[in-house]
Amino acid sequence: MHITISPLNDGAIDVSLQGEIDADNCAQIGEHLLTPGVESDSTVALDLSELSFIDSSGISELLRVRDAFDSAGGSLVIVNPSPAVRRVLEITGVLSTFGLS
């Protein structure tokens, strides 16, 4: 998995994930986003258009990070999920949790 973080002028943060998220690498999401360099009260747009696979451990990590941002007054929303990732989010029932319908 590759993570690209791009701060935007309005204080929001654009994060792009590429590749696959599984049990071996899912902790990297929190390691990159829950750091002093990323304000927890920020709005984070998580672009998953180039993510080809996500398993249950990856979904759990996304939920954990989302909860951390919510607790700090920020937000984490998923944008542009690839069809495969969108399907997994639909099947697991968390699609609307991340601001998608």
Side-chain angles (χ1 to χ4, degrees):
M1 171 182 55
H2 181 74
I3 300 173
T4 304
I5 299 175
S6 305
L8 303 174
N9 291 336
D10 61 359
I13 300 168
D14 185 41
V15 178
S16 180
L17 303 179
Q18 299 93 28
E20 299 182 351
I21 300 176
D22 57 27
D24 291 333
N25 64 10
C26 66
Q28 292 177 26
I29 299 167
E31 291 169 3
H32 282 84
L33 294 179
L34 301 176
T35 64
V38 177
E39 298 300 323
S40 297
D41 61 351
S42 299
T43 298
V44 175
L46 196 58
D47 185 341
L48 304 184
S49 61
E50 295 184 43
L51 195 66
S52 59
F53 174 82
I54 189 168
D55 69 4
S56 61
S57 59
I59 292 171
S60 293
E61 181 67 359
L62 291 178
L63 289 168
R64 184 182 78 81
V65 170
R66 180 190 164 276
D67 289 347
F69 275 91
D70 281 353
S71 295
S75 65
L76 181 139
V77 295
I78 290 176
V79 296
N80 304 320
S82 67
V85 170
R86 183 181 189 88
R87 181 70 179 136
V88 171
L89 296 174
E90 286 174 349
I91 290 169
T92 58
V94 299
L95 193 65
S96 62
T97 302
F98 290 105
L100 297 169
S101 58

